Amino acid sequence: MVRSTDTTPATPQKPRGGRLPRRERRAQLLDSALGVFVAQGYHAAAMDDIAERAGVSKPVLYQHFPGKLELYLALLDAACDEVIDNCRVALAATPDNKTRVAAAMAAFYSYVAGERGAFRLVFESDLTSEPAVREHVERVTAECAAMIAEVIHDDTGLPPDQSRLLAVSLVGMAQVSARFWVSESTGLTQAEAVELVSALAWRGIRGYPLNDEH
């Protein structure tokens, strides 16, 4: 059976051939690509599918992105930046470290719970054998852990290397537990899950006090 060439895109987009400013067109293409990559994974996704979903010709798509890997990396870059920025905002929102732990945990859970499923690009990529992809994914852990390590060091007085190890452990806890929560029928609301895991994390971190007041 021959596949129809005029299949309606899953998400309504600008009409084929419609002119958009370059920045808007790039954003539109990235949005369309996100849906395809999340649904199909990198290896199964095709540039034809992305162009069709965006309502553009393949030459237009290639004008903005020379290949599928470059398009994927652009999406991954934006996704990684969002996770890191969310973590930064959470840590800066309060001087109270117990609340900081909860806020940082909530930032990961909110990101993973996002309707578009962008977290799969970062935490469940099927292209981790590609060095550029692995570098992007590792950047999330490295930068979030670096921010959290500063807080731990300032609050506990632990040496930098110990603070960093604890920070990496917290980031890992947030990532793994959030992905498990969103993929399994745990019966817990997002707020309940965040509260439960945050309590576990805080009970561990507060065991390294700088003084009796913390």
Side-chain angles (χ1 to χ4, degrees):
M1 178 176 174
V2 179
R3 181 182 177 184
S4 171
T5 58
D6 59 351
T7 303
T8 302
T11 302
Q13 300 289 349
K14 294 285 185 180
R16 187 180 296 276
R19 289 190 174 276
L20 287 175
R22 184 172 182 82
R23 180 175 295 180
E24 290 184 26
R25 177 65 78 191
R26 178 182 171 87
Q28 178 209 15
L29 295 174
L30 287 171
D31 184 68
S32 298
L34 175 61
V36 174
F37 281 130
V38 168
Q40 301 180 22
Y42 176 84
H43 294 292
M47 293 293 270
D48 287 306
D49 296 330
I50 296 169
E52 182 178 346
R53 187 181 180 94
V56 302
S57 64
K58 280 182 68 177
V60 169
L61 180 57
Y62 281 113
Q63 285 174 8
H64 293 266
F65 302 99
K68 186 168 72 168
L69 179 59
E70 288 78 11
L71 177 53
Y72 188 82
L73 289 175
L75 271 174
L76 188 57
D77 219 16
C80 290
D81 284 344
E82 183 177 353
V83 179
I84 294 166
D85 288 344
N86 289 349
C87 185
R88 181 179 295 108
V89 170
L91 293 175
T94 173
D96 179 76
N97 286 327
K98 182 178 181 179
T99 307
R100 273 176 169 162
V101 169
M105 201 66 66
F108 277 95
Y109 273 75
S110 294
Y111 181 75
V112 168
E115 292 183 1
R116 298 298 305 279
F119 80 94
R120 298 188 186 281
L121 295 177
V122 183
F123 301 135
E124 297 179 3
S125 174
D126 60 348
L127 194 62
T128 52
S129 60
E130 170 64 41
V133 172
R134 189 166 60 251
E135 180 180 338
H136 278 67
V137 172
E138 290 173 352
R139 180 167 70 88
V140 171
T141 298
E143 295 197 21
C144 288
M147 290 184 284
I148 294 172
E150 287 187 15
V151 174
I152 293 175
H153 173 70
D154 291 344
D155 185 55
T156 65
L158 288 173
D161 55 344
Q162 294 182 28
S163 297
R164 184 169 180 78
L165 179 59
L166 290 175
V168 169
S169 300
L170 282 178
V171 172
M173 180 188 297
Q175 291 180 10
V176 174
S177 65
R179 287 165 53 200
F180 176 82
W181 168 78
V182 83
S183 64
E184 300 287 336
S185 299
T186 62
L188 296 172
T189 66
Q190 182 176 334
E192 289 171 339
V194 169
E195 182 179 3
L196 185 66
V197 179
S198 297
L200 173 63
W202 176 246
R203 285 171 183 166
I205 290 298
R206 72 178 182 182
Y208 301 95
L210 186 63
N211 56 55
D212 292 338
E213 296 177 0
H214 293 280

